[in-house]
Amino acid sequence: QVQLVESGGGLVQAGDSLRLSCAASGRTISSYSMAWFRQAPGKEREFVAAISPGGVRTNYADSVKGRFTISRDNAKNAVYLQMASLKPEDTAVYFCAARPGANIRGGYDYWGQGTQVTVSS
């Protein structure tokens, strides 16, 4: 079973950039699809971005496309979310998730504890 720990969240102003990190332990994630989700208070958890095991294929929610970049470093057993041009509506708790296999659009089995991102106007 893989454990995921997010970090890098914080309070920033609109237009700023921020990089979130997800450190995996327990087993290698080199064969796992990885993704980021987010959840704002009173709202459902929503998909943000996903990446295939080899890092070649990616998928983004329309709301973040062109602003966010998901990447991974399998040698470090880590996944990242580079966020640029942040908007107040990006404010949420961001979660890292993992799924065995290459189907990045499937359901995710393992989740981190989340890291808070707050964007002020």
Side-chain angles (χ1 to χ4, degrees), residues 12-90:
V12 298
Q13 291 184 293
D16 284 355
S17 296
L18 201 62
R19 190 180 85 150
L20 305 183
S21 298
C22 173
S25 61
R27 60 182 60 187
T28 178
I29 59 169
S30 61
S31 63
Y32 285 63
S33 295
M34 303 295 295
W36 289 93
F37 292 77
R38 66 187 183 186
Q39 186 169 25
K43 296 188 179 297
E44 295 183 2
R45 183 176 297 176
E46 65 175 347
F47 169 79
V48 176
I51 189 167
S52 61
V56 176
R57 298 189 342 268
T58 57
N59 188 38
Y60 297 92
D62 288 342
S63 60
V64 306
K65 195 172 300 181
R67 299 188 298 121
F68 290 12
T69 302
I70 188 172
S71 62
R72 67 192 299 159
D73 187 339
N74 286 338
K76 296 181 178 179
N77 225 32
V79 181
Y80 309 97
L81 184 68
Q82 180 66 51
M83 305 182 292
S85 301
L86 283 163
K87 306 174 181 180
E89 50 263 46
D90 294 319

